[in-house]
Amino acid sequence: MAVAAVKEYQFAPADSMDKFHGAQLLYIGWEDHLMFCAPFAFPFPPTMRFGDIIAGVLPGVFGYHPDFAQIEWSKVEWFKSGQPWQPDVEKSLADNGLKHKDVIRFRTPGLTGIKGSFS
């Protein structure tokens, strides 16, 4: 059964960027590693260098997984909103085209969880 709205539904989002004091939310997930079942949300300044996320943030989030130490970052496949994407690690989030509430995921070829279990 289809449902139709009787009038346009408009409201201000409760998680708009102005609520994060100059930061923007960025969701980051690791493909083929269901130990982390959903992307994590981070409030980062748009000026933050993408490489600083790889070096300074991701180890604290994903580093306890045994595959993490084996990642060859030059071979990682990145996705932005489900589409293949290649970040420039030297550029800021804004310069990489990342906006508030964007979702990025990364796949690590050859690494598919504990003993290949995708966990």
Side-chain angles (χ1 to χ4, degrees), residues 33-56:
H33 289 78
L34 296 176
M35 180 183 285
F36 314 105
C37 62
F40 290 90
F42 301 95
F44 295 136
T47 56
M48 185 172 189
R49 225 175 48 90
F50 193 84
D52 292 336
I53 292 172
I54 293 171

Side-chain angles (χ1 to χ4, degrees), residues 73-106:
W73 289 102
S74 63
K75 295 181 179 179
V76 166
E77 299 167 355
W78 292 94
F79 302 89
K80 178 182 169 194
S81 298
Q83 300 300 313
W85 173 72
Q86 187 58 51
D88 183 331
V89 296
E90 297 301 323
K91 290 186 177 180
S92 70
L93 300 180
D95 290 339
N96 271 293
L98 294 168
K99 297 176 180 56
H100 184 56
K101 298 199 290 183
D102 271 348
V103 177
I104 61 173
R105 297 186 69 85
F106 64 99

Side-chain angles (χ1 to χ4, degrees), residues 17-61:
M17 191 170 163
D18 62 303
K19 309 270 190 325
F20 292 91
H21 309 285
Q24 65 185 45
L25 289 181
L26 180 62
Y27 294 88
I28 303 175
W30 188 4
E31 294 287 304
D32 303 330
H33 289 78
L34 296 176
M35 180 183 285
F36 314 105
C37 62
F40 290 90
F42 301 95
F44 295 136
T47 56
M48 185 172 189
R49 225 175 48 90
F50 193 84
D52 292 336
I53 292 172
I54 293 171
V57 176
L58 298 186
V61 177

